[in-house]
Amino acid sequence: MSEITLQGLEKQYGETTAVEDVSVEINDGELLCLLGPSGSGKSTTLRMIAGLETPTEGAIRIGGEDVTEQPAYDRHTSTVFQDWALFPHKSVLENVAFGLKMRGVSEDERHERAETMLERVQMGSYDDEDPTNLSGGQKQRVALARSLAVNPDVLLLDEPLSNLDKRLREDMQIELREIHEDVEETFVHVTHDQDEAFTLADRIGIMDGGQLIQVGDPDEIYENPKNRFIEGFLGDTNFVEGTVESANPDLVTVESELDDTLTIPAGEDHEVAEGTPLELSLRPEILSIDRLASDAEGTASEADEEHEPMLADGSVLNTVTGTVDTVLYRGSTVRYSVSVGDSSVFVERTDTTEESLSVGDEIRIEWNGSDVLAFHTDGTRVGI
Amino acid sequence: MAETNTDTGLVGSVGTALPTRSDLAELSSSRKALLLMAPLLAFEALIFVVPFFILLRISVTEGSSDHVYEPGTWSLESYAVVFNSGLLHDIILYSFLLGAIVTVLSVLIGLFYAYAIWRSSGIVKSLLLLSVVMPLLTTLVIRTYAFNPLLSPTGTFNDVLLSAGLLSEPIQFVPATAGAVAGQLYIVLPYAVLAIYSVLATMDWGIVEAARDLGASRPRSFVEVVLPQVIPGIIVAAVISFAWSVGAYAAPDLLSNGITFAVHAEDLMIGDMRYSLAAALSVVMLVLMLVSVTAITLVLNRFGGDFDLA
């Protein structure tokens, strides 16, 4: 059993607090991604699990054993470092065999096991190579083999893919996922790349400012972010400011900077009062767009807007109109920046074969009010 | 090729002596390097190579009763003296002994001191580096001679040991070999520290962490990862310390009764006026030094790869 428990973990460097009160249970065999911007304390947390930093406060248990005071070399953890930290004076094979050498495994046996590991990461023919001659991707594989060779209870990965180019990084993510399923060990993976976290993780822990803000399944975190920071960090979104105009038990209307009153269906015990300033998140994937028809039909559609229709399933259709400002081709998607009232929102179309919109086109943007997430001005989520 | 270049070659040799900018650009990089090194090579030739051949020539002349040596004569008698004199053998042995002790101490202390500089940061690092360089600002003779009042039986060091009750009687550090070792160590240590630190400074602390992460204890990670990589710096430190200490003059002269070859060579020249013997002794020492420095380099280089303790 090698589940990890972090309890009230704290790390201070002089006056600065790098990690503050981090508590989490990491399950045996799980792949947990610590996701956060640089300086959020995720690497420091990882280094404390590895034993490379001593926590100022709190406790670390691995497999039930308190290892808080244990030095790195006594822990059954193994780290893949961001710059891989291969030993430049040792061959690839000796690098991978190093951990086994430290454990007193005989030369023949450790070389044999190192070779097996190198084959596992498709580096079988590089035994005698000098690690300084390898490419980034190859170094990354050797570093992974070196860490796995000691058969650790816990594998710690400190942004090992961040120095690789995009294509290689995506390949390695898949491979890492396969290796994780293969070796059935607990992995803790630190990254600042949300795509990487979503590709790899069983669960994601979001860190910001030294704190672990939310831990959960990837879809849970994406669908139900705890605060505005997470909502903004996990993907591009439109934040729209507004003030609550009316707060009925089943419906909240918001006077927004989009020159329109937006409507959000609400649960009975929602905590919103009239006059509360809010920020609404309109993700591009909930917005559907349509070119406004010619003048005659245009009048008709504007008439539609007068009453936000409540649909049968309790959702509410919101509609605004705007003018396309810029068109940005991003390969598989096209992104349009649309000015709506005094503000602007961006929308995306994934189907690039659809009739394309061009600058100056009048369009209608629609979304289901229940897909909108609302946040207080201090960033906390509004329960609606 | 030769034909086509004949014209320009002629113009070049007949024309101006100073190369123009375009001439410089056409030079191959090795010729450029040679040109850049020219002042140093000229200096070395004038100050070292030519005098060395004069020394070599003097070493194979006959001794003389009314001159320092007999110019124009040829004789190997001085070498015969060097090879047969028990006194000279003792002096040579003492020189090498002093050199060996100082070298071992300076590499060991230098290694730990350099490691301390490497691992420190901020003001501590600056202070540690500064205190390496500071002694170099004082004249060698003065900072060597300063060991006399420090180490003499009535000196500061003995006073402290006596008053602390660690000694019942003062120890005669000077004039003695201990004093010479201390004085010579103080001369070479800054160079040893800087030689080793310059290599350590290029190393990534991350690989030491990686070693610890993979189960290497602190001393083990030092031996497995730091030491093999710092060998080039250790070689430089050892060669500087050894060559300088075997040929030490000031420290043994001022702080010890033991006579090193440098001190003795001076006695032979200034006191006994035996230039050819002094020259022969110097040539023999030079050869012995070259052999031992080569041996040090070769032996240390063998550890430059993977230490195998398992």
Side-chain angles (χ1 to χ4, degrees):
Chain A
M1 289 298 283
S2 46
E3 77 281 353
I4 306 169
T5 311
L6 307 183
Q7 203 173 50
L9 215 53
E10 196 159 313
K11 179 67 185 178
Q12 286 178 328
Y13 297 102
E15 298 286 285
T16 352
T17 305
V19 172
E20 199 180 337
D21 194 24
V22 166
S23 298
V24 64
E25 300 263 349
I26 304 167
N27 304 323
D28 187 24
E30 174 177 46
L31 200 164
L32 179 88
C33 272
L34 289 178
L35 175 65
S38 53
S40 59
K42 55 194 193 305
S43 280
T44 310
T45 304
L46 193 83
R47 288 170 59 82
M48 286 193 278
I49 302 175
L52 297 168
E53 304 281 351
T54 318
T56 315
E57 238 165 290
I60 302 166
R61 276 190 294 279
I62 298 176
E65 187 194 353
D66 189 329
V67 298
T68 317
E69 299 298 322
Q70 220 174 52
Y73 49 84
D74 281 340
R75 296 192 190 182
H76 298 292
T77 59
S78 190
T79 310
V80 182
F81 294 89
Q82 182 168 13
D83 56 359
W84 312 305
L86 298 176
F87 307 125
H89 61 291
K90 291 176 190 288
S91 71
V92 164
L93 190 72
E94 283 167 336
N95 260 278
V96 177
F98 185 85
L100 298 170
K101 184 178 173 183
M102 293 306 108
R103 282 159 177 74
V105 177
S106 75
E107 185 164 335
D108 286 347
E109 197 187 333
R110 66 180 188 243
H111 282 181
E112 198 184 308
R113 276 166 68 180
E115 216 146 324
T116 316
M117 260 317 150
L118 280 169
E119 270 156 31
R120 176 71 188 80
V121 297
Q122 294 153 36
M123 288 292 291
S125 51
Y126 292 86
D127 286 5
D128 299 323
E129 202 69 50
D130 187 340
T132 47
N133 295 336
L134 302 179
S135 70
Q138 291 170 330
K139 284 182 188 170
Q140 203 277 329
R141 285 163 195 270
V142 174
L144 188 61
R146 184 177 69 175
S147 293
L148 287 171
V150 296
N151 218 345
D153 292 343
V154 178
L155 188 73
L156 304 166
L157 301 111
D158 189 3
E159 306 211 34
L161 308 181
S162 64
N163 288 338
L164 305 179
D165 59 63
K166 189 168 183 292
R167 173 72 62 80
L168 191 56
R169 191 163 63 228
E170 286 166 357
D171 290 347
M172 285 307 301
Q173 286 166 7
I174 309 282
E175 220 169 295
L176 214 51
R177 183 79 240 186
E178 285 169 7
I179 286 172
H180 174 248
E181 276 159 22
D182 221 36
V183 298
E184 297 178 326
E185 285 158 7
T186 311
F187 280 34
V188 183
H189 184 105
V190 159
T191 180
H192 62 265
D193 178 347
Q194 64 274 20
D195 292 337
E196 188 170 305
F198 282 112
T199 309
L200 285 173
D202 294 326
R203 282 196 306 161
I204 293 175
I206 306 273
M207 289 196 73
D208 182 40
Q211 289 176 318
L212 186 61
I213 300 171
Q214 188 175 5
V215 184
D217 297 343
D219 54 340
E220 178 193 331
I221 288 201
Y222 190 74
E223 299 299 332
N224 213 351
K226 209 168 161 187
N227 66 18
R228 184 189 185 280
F229 165 78
I230 299 175
E231 174 70 359
F233 187 71
L234 291 184
D236 293 330
T237 185
N238 294 291
F239 282 112
V240 175
E241 286 174 22
T243 314
V244 176
E245 194 181 63
S246 69
N248 301 319
D250 59 344
L251 211 63
V252 172
T253 60
V254 178
E255 174 74 47
S256 82
E257 55 178 340
L258 293 180
D259 264 8
D260 265 295
T261 301
L262 309 181
T263 315
I264 307 168
E268 270 180 30
D269 50 352
H270 71 78
E271 46 181 53
V272 190
E274 250 174 64
T276 317
L278 291 181
E279 258 189 301
L280 305 178
S281 166
L282 308 178
R283 286 193 181 144
E285 70 262 26
I286 69 165
L287 305 175
S288 62
I289 53 175
D290 243 326
R291 189 194 297 269
L292 268 188
S294 57
D295 284 340
E297 281 172 81
T299 331
S301 66
E302 267 170 38
D304 282 348
E305 276 176 48
E306 293 303 314
H307 308 285
E308 311 285 0
M310 167 110 54
L311 300 180
D313 59 354
S315 59
V316 176
L317 194 66
N318 284 260
T319 309
V320 294
T321 54
T323 315
V324 175
D325 263 347
T326 54
V327 180
L328 195 63
Y329 290 92
R330 290 157 61 97
S332 56
T333 59
V334 188
R335 177 178 284 198
Y336 301 98
S337 172
V338 183
S339 62
V340 180
D342 296 335
S343 181
S344 86
V345 295
F346 73 87
V347 295
E348 269 176 356
R349 251 191 196 171
T350 46
D351 187 357
T352 48
T353 59
E354 258 181 87
E355 188 194 350
S356 63
L357 301 168
S358 45
V359 174
D361 283 355
E362 295 275 316
I363 61 165
R364 176 171 54 209
I365 305 172
E366 285 179 336
W367 68 89
N368 183 343
S370 54
D371 291 337
V372 170
L373 301 177
F375 301 93
H376 287 297
T377 43
D378 66 357
T380 53
R381 180 81 180 276
V382 176
I384 296 187
Chain B
M1 183 92 178
E3 268 179 24
T4 54
N5 273 353
T6 315
D7 280 348
T8 51
L10 272 175
V11 171
S13 59
V14 178
T16 57
L18 284 171
T20 63
R21 186 179 281 265
S22 62
D23 285 339
L24 268 177
E26 279 165 27
L27 288 175
S28 68
S29 56
S30 64
R31 301 259 320 256
K32 261 185 220 167
L34 209 62
L35 199 66
L36 289 169
M37 273 166 38
L40 178 69
L41 290 176
F43 184 80
E44 287 285 343
L46 203 66
I47 302 298
F48 180 72
V49 179
V50 172
F52 175 73
F53 280 103
I54 296 173
L55 180 88
L56 203 60
R57 178 68 188 90
I58 294 174
S59 75
V60 288
T61 56
E62 284 171 14
S64 161
S65 47
D66 35 282
H67 296 96
V68 286
Y69 67 96
E70 205 66 63
T73 57
W74 293 92
S75 164
L76 287 174
E77 66 177 287
S78 299
Y79 284 96
V81 175
V82 174
F83 287 122
N84 292 316
S85 156
L87 172 71
L88 287 183
H89 291 175
D90 287 349
I91 288 172
I92 292 173
L93 210 63
Y94 183 75
S95 304
F96 273 95
L97 189 70
L98 185 72
I101 295 172
V102 172
T103 302
V104 169
L105 289 176
S106 104
V107 168
L108 277 180
I109 298 173
L111 187 57
F112 286 108
Y113 196 97
Y115 188 87
I117 302 177
W118 185 44
R119 291 307 300 145
S120 61
S121 60
I123 187 90
V124 179
K125 189 182 199 120
S126 306
L127 280 176
L128 286 175
L129 267 170
L130 194 68
S131 44
V132 174
V133 183
M134 280 291 271
L136 300 180
L137 301 178
T138 319
T139 315
L140 187 144
V141 175
I142 292 178
R143 75 183 125 107
T144 305
Y145 196 75
F147 275 95
N148 261 319
L150 273 176
L151 296 179
S152 79
T154 55
T156 321
F157 196 55
N158 269 309
D159 280 354
V160 171
L161 290 181
L162 285 169
S163 61
L166 293 169
L167 288 180
S168 50
E169 267 177 61
I171 295 178
Q172 172 108 16
F173 292 114
V174 283
T177 303
V181 167
Q184 187 60 28
L185 186 61
Y186 194 57
I187 292 171
V188 297
L189 194 54
Y191 300 95
V193 170
L194 292 177
I196 295 170
Y197 174 66
S198 66
V199 177
L200 273 177
T202 64
M203 269 174 59
D204 173 19
W205 175 247
I207 61 165
V208 181
E209 285 192 330
R212 297 211 181 140
D213 187 65
L214 289 164
S217 62
R218 278 158 191 274
R220 194 80 194 268
S221 60
F222 181 80
V223 171
E224 287 278 352
V225 173
V226 180
L227 213 48
Q229 290 195 77
V230 85
I231 285 291
I234 290 180
I235 290 176
V236 174
V239 168
I240 291 177
S241 304
F242 188 73
W244 200 339
S245 306
V246 171
Y249 175 80
D253 194 44
L254 295 172
L255 302 170
S256 169
N257 294 326
I259 294 176
T260 61
F261 107 89
V263 176
H264 191 63
E266 192 222 10
D267 287 345
L268 287 174
M269 294 175 79
I270 311 288
D272 303 353
M273 303 282 176
R274 297 173 74 182
Y275 270 34
S276 56
L277 182 57
L281 178 62
S282 302
V283 171
V284 169
M285 281 306 288
L286 189 76
V287 172
L288 290 175
M289 290 269 259
L290 279 177
V291 171
S292 36
V293 163
T294 311
I296 290 174
T297 311
L298 288 178
V299 169
L300 286 179
N301 247 334
R302 284 197 47 206
F303 294 108
D306 190 13
F307 267 92
D308 212 352
L309 300 178

